Amino acid sequence: MWNNLTFCSVCKLAPKPTPLLLPRFLPLAHVLRRRCKGLSGSKPPAQTLQSEGLKRTCSLLPARLVSSKAKRRRYAKTYPVLDGRVLSVYRHVFEENLRNSEAVVKRYSELLELVSKGGGENAILRHTQRNKKLFVRERLKLLLDDESFLELSPLAGLNMPYGDVPAAGCLTGIGKICGVWCVFTANDATVKGGTIYPIGVKKQLRAQEIAMQNRLLSVYLVDSGGAFLPLQSELFPDKSHGGRVFYNEAIMSAMKIPQVAVVCGSCVAGGAYVPTMAEEAVIIDKIGTLFLAGPPLVKAATGEYVSPEDLGGAKLHSRVSGCSDHFASSEKEAYECVRNVISTLNYEPLPEEVTEHDGPLYSSDELLGLAPRDYRCTLPVKLILSRLLDGSRFQEFKADYGTTLVTGFGHVEGHLVGVVASNGELTRDASLKGSHFVQLCSHRSIPILFFQNTAPHAAEPTSISQAEAHSNRLKAQASMMAAVACASVPKITIVIGGCYGSESYVMCGRSFSPNFLFLWPNARVALVDSRHLTTVPQAGGSDSTDESELKHLKQRLEEESSAFYSSSRLWDDGIILPQNTRKVIAQCLQIIEQQKYQVVPSYQHPVIRM
């Protein structure tokens, strides 16, 4: 894939940077005098006058009198251009990273292919031919606009202790319906017959959390056989188990976040509450059923046979119980009905104009060689930023202070963002700088992008002076941690390398509730790096140096720290390819921005169904 000619293109010279200083603006009085003088002569048509005046105003008036949109477009062009050349001294590291990236991307593609088949070919045939239902991905094609959507955690549920549950038995993601960004949760009945496993509950709860955090309409495509009873202790009793889904539905309704459900299959036991707690529900004739206990349990309890349609079919719930608000004779009609429901929402039209922006000056494909194989293969993080930001332009903050953390402002497809990027071990100065910058972004209402590649293990202090420096660093990290936790702006975290120890919290790891968190396939997530482990910790404070035990622990850490292990357990929102990072970030920023166009009433109570 990379020959000498291609590699030379990586090392191409950066273009000449644009002048950093703006031309001085004329004083306001002088501008107005010149405009009045120009108007005193011949009088052009009013329309021409208006357009000419607007052009002059935008080009001459001081910044505080110009609209934010015009200001954003103009000032973005003046940010300094990053030098994204990969120097020859980094060539061997680049090639080593590239080989590793190609291997993990191949593995990622294989796993994606596996989960895209749901429960397998036989299960899909049974679902589509015998049960006359559409496969879950076909349903989404009918429901969503004809645009790409952001699928969340597609690898969830693989290699779990209780076996493989492809995609955790449900698809979640964010796509557009009638031009409105929506979170969708769609059960895949080809996986374990639609039975809900613990990882499936976790995935649904994460989708609801994203909906609440970003105020996104939620659509549920319910085709569920209820909980997997052998694992009921991991599904039922605790706060973050199955019942939380229904609690969240009520809270979301009170938050004025619309929810629509489609009963497109069996809804048994807990699955029956999802559509009945949604604000509007659609049920499909012949294939949609809704009941707490199905015909087999009725037969066992009473000896009476009753058909699924008579017990809880579409006609019953549309005409008798009122559990459904809309009756659909086919799946196509049901999804058309959902689109009609969404068109009734009181949302202001989203802006249609596309913000003009420049692409990065360097190819995104080169990110494969910049994704570190391990912490020792880390290259300067500005090389990565130069391949993600508009025009490779970056207004750096405190460039010469705390250089192991890079902070500053840039644009991603026209969206202004603050950038906090790991560039080495998080020192005291770097932490103080990060704390300052995060607070600036919060005060200015600017979303923050965190690019995380934290150090695997810090050396323990061996002297009083080192202990004092260690203590000062911890205090500074605590300051930044507090700033990140309290920043009231959207946060997006991309783990580009290591996600180790306490530094991962400071860089807005999962515990600090970023709006979105994604991993590159080369990422590592663990408390410590297995390569830095020399003894086996024991209870009581003593350490063991037993070789076999140490080898076993290292192997386990190596396996459990991979990006695939993390994503299968929903410690993130999915793995993304490095070359797709800019597109995913831009999508997330558009999704986050939508809430500005909602009309939110003042009352605070949910919609109570009959």
Side-chain angles (χ1 to χ4, degrees):
M1 179 174 132
W2 290 81
N3 52 34
N4 290 334
L5 182 63
T6 310
F7 192 86
C8 288
S9 72
V10 177
C11 303
K12 63 179 180 282
L13 290 173
K16 291 182 180 180
T18 53
L20 303 185
L21 296 177
L22 289 170
R24 293 182 180 274
F25 290 113
L26 295 172
L28 181 59
H30 177 63
V31 173
L32 295 176
R33 279 199 302 273
R34 201 174 77 173
R35 288 184 66 199
C36 293
K37 184 178 179 181
L39 294 175
S40 62
S42 60
K43 296 182 180 180
Q47 189 174 2
T48 307
L49 247 178
Q50 186 178 5
S51 62
E52 289 300 316
L54 181 61
K55 287 178 184 175
R56 283 201 298 270
T57 303
C58 288
S59 60
L60 297 176
L61 287 183
R64 64 180 179 273
L65 299 181
V66 185
S67 73
S68 61
K69 284 189 176 180
K71 188 163 57 178
R72 180 182 296 180
R73 284 195 297 269
R74 187 172 68 243
Y75 283 111
K77 300 284 187 181
T78 67
Y79 289 180
V81 177
L82 290 170
D83 184 355
R85 295 173 296 170
V86 179
L87 303 178
S88 58
V89 69
Y90 298 140
R91 178 167 183 164
H92 68 289
V93 178
F94 184 96
E95 290 178 338
E96 190 175 345
N97 287 339
L98 181 59
R99 285 192 294 271
N100 181 68
S101 291
E102 288 173 340
V104 293
V105 167
K106 182 182 177 183
R107 175 64 177 153
Y108 172 67
S109 301
E110 291 170 351
L111 292 175
L112 272 188
E113 179 68 20
L114 175 67
V115 301
S116 68
K117 297 176 181 176
E121 292 181 4
N122 291 336
I124 292 175
L125 284 174
R126 188 165 54 248
H127 179 83
T128 56
Q129 295 184 9
R130 191 185 75 181
N131 298 336
K132 308 299 181 186
K133 296 193 286 188
L134 292 176
F135 184 47
V136 63
R137 295 186 182 272
E138 295 301 317
R139 287 170 170 168
L140 292 177
K141 287 180 183 178
L142 291 176
L143 176 68
L144 302 176
D145 293 351
D146 190 19
E147 296 181 29
S148 61
F149 62 90
L150 179 63
E151 184 172 352
L152 300 171
S153 306
L155 302 185
L158 296 180
N159 298 315
M160 300 301 291
Y162 38 80
D164 282 346
V165 186
C170 64
L171 268 61
T172 62
I174 305 171
K176 280 188 177 180
I177 304 176
C178 300
V180 178
W181 287 107
C182 307
V183 170
F184 61 82
T185 301
N187 294 115
D188 184 357
T190 69
V191 177
K192 313 291 185 183
T195 305
I196 300 173
Y197 280 71
I199 192 67
V201 170
K202 188 175 182 181
K203 189 171 181 179
Q204 291 184 45
L205 290 175
R206 175 56 185 158
Q208 289 182 319
E209 182 184 1
I210 289 172
M212 287 189 279
Q213 203 169 14
N214 301 289
R215 296 196 59 82
L216 298 172
L217 160 73
S218 288
V219 178
Y220 306 94
L221 305 186
V222 193
D223 191 354
S224 167
F228 182 61
L229 289 178
L231 294 176
Q232 64 85 29
S233 64
E234 300 175 46
L235 279 162
F236 170 69
D238 208 353
K239 178 180 178 180
S240 295
H241 286 172
R244 193 72 178 187
V245 173
F246 318 129
Y247 172 87
N248 285 345
E249 283 192 76
I251 296 300
M252 289 164 70
S253 182
M255 291 172 65
K256 315 301 171 296
I257 298 174
Q259 297 166 91
V260 183
V262 181
V263 181
C264 47
S266 177
C267 290
V268 183
Y273 288 107
V274 173
T276 53
M277 292 196 67
E279 293 181 359
E280 290 195 55
V282 184
I283 191 166
I284 303 169
D285 192 25
K286 307 298 183 191
I287 63 172
T289 54
L290 187 67
F291 32 62
L292 290 177
L297 281 179
V298 174
K299 176 76 171 175
T302 67
E304 181 184 357
Y305 171 77
V306 60
S307 71
E309 278 295 308
D310 291 337
L311 185 63
K315 291 183 175 67
L316 176 85
H317 287 304
S318 298
R319 300 172 183 175
V320 181
S321 73
C323 286
S324 173
D325 308 300
H326 306 279
F327 175 92
S329 58
S330 66
E331 291 209 49
K332 183 179 180 181
E333 184 181 324
Y335 305 128
E336 273 301 320
C337 182
V338 172
R339 296 178 65 84
N340 291 338
V341 168
I342 289 172
S343 69
T344 67
L345 301 178
N346 193 13
Y347 279 27
E348 293 181 18
L350 300 180
E352 293 182 1
E353 69 272 9
V354 178
T355 307
E356 293 182 8
H357 59 268
D358 299 326
L361 301 180
Y362 304 91
S363 171
S364 60
D365 290 334
E366 297 160 4
L367 290 169
L368 293 170
L370 299 173
R373 185 180 69 84
D374 58 48
Y375 193 73
R376 296 168 300 176
C377 296
T378 299
L379 294 177
V381 76
K382 289 182 186 177
L383 296 178
I384 292 175
L385 299 181
S386 68
R387 287 155 177 83
L388 296 176
L389 299 177
D390 291 358
S392 301
R393 292 185 172 88
F394 184 59
Q395 176 65 31
E396 192 166 1
F397 176 76
K398 287 185 183 288
D400 300 321
Y401 180 80
T403 54
T404 56
L405 188 73
V406 172
T407 57
F409 300 99
H411 293 79
V412 178
E413 294 195 4
H415 299 273
L416 177 63
V417 293
V419 174
V420 179
S422 302
N423 199 39
E425 189 176 330
L426 200 58
T427 62
R428 170 189 174 275
D429 291 352
S431 300
L432 292 176
K433 165 181 165 178
S435 176
H436 183 179
F437 181 74
V438 167
Q439 291 176 76
L440 282 182
C441 290
S442 185
H443 276 248
R444 297 173 187 176
S445 299
I446 299 172
I448 308 174
L449 301 183
F450 291 87
F451 294 96
Q452 186 178 139
N453 181 23
T454 55
H457 182 72
E460 294 296 329
T462 57
S463 65
I464 296 296
S465 59
Q466 286 183 3
E468 185 177 355
H470 187 71
S471 175
N472 288 335
R473 187 181 69 193
L474 288 177
K475 287 189 286 186
Q477 287 182 1
S479 170
M480 183 175 172
M481 211 179 286
V484 171
C486 297
S488 56
V489 292
K491 297 176 277 264
I492 301 170
T493 301
I494 311 291
V495 181
I496 60 175
C499 175
Y500 294 109
S502 59
E503 287 189 15
S504 69
Y505 306 143
V506 183
M507 291 296 293
C508 201
R510 190 63 145 182
S511 306
F512 279 64
S513 296
N515 293 58
F516 297 96
L517 186 150
F518 299 101
L519 307 182
W520 282 2
N522 59 290
R524 290 277 166 184
V525 182
L527 185 61
V528 294
D529 187 349
S530 60
R531 287 179 287 271
H532 290 255
L533 201 64
T534 56
T535 60
V536 180
Q538 301 287 328
S542 61
D543 291 340
S544 168
T545 56
D546 181 78
E547 288 296 326
S548 62
E549 193 175 355
L550 182 61
K551 182 180 178 182
H552 175 72
L553 181 57
K554 282 189 171 186
Q555 287 175 344
R556 183 176 174 183
L557 277 174
E558 185 71 16
E559 177 192 347
E560 294 181 355
S561 64
S562 78
F564 305 114
Y565 188 94
S566 167
S567 207
S568 70
R569 282 151 182 79
L570 277 164
W571 299 344
D572 52 73
D573 295 317
I575 295 173
I576 59 173
L577 297 179
Q579 59 267 41
N580 293 341
T581 303
R582 175 177 159 87
K583 177 185 175 183
V584 171
I585 291 173
Q587 264 188 319
C588 291
L589 291 170
Q590 291 171 21
I591 289 164
I592 289 166
E593 217 171 53
Q594 177 175 273
Q595 59 186 292
K596 296 178 182 177
Y597 304 96
Q598 295 179 16
V599 178
V600 182
S602 57
Y603 62 86
Q604 290 293 324
H605 60 78
V607 173
I608 308 298
R609 294 180 62 93
M610 57 191 296

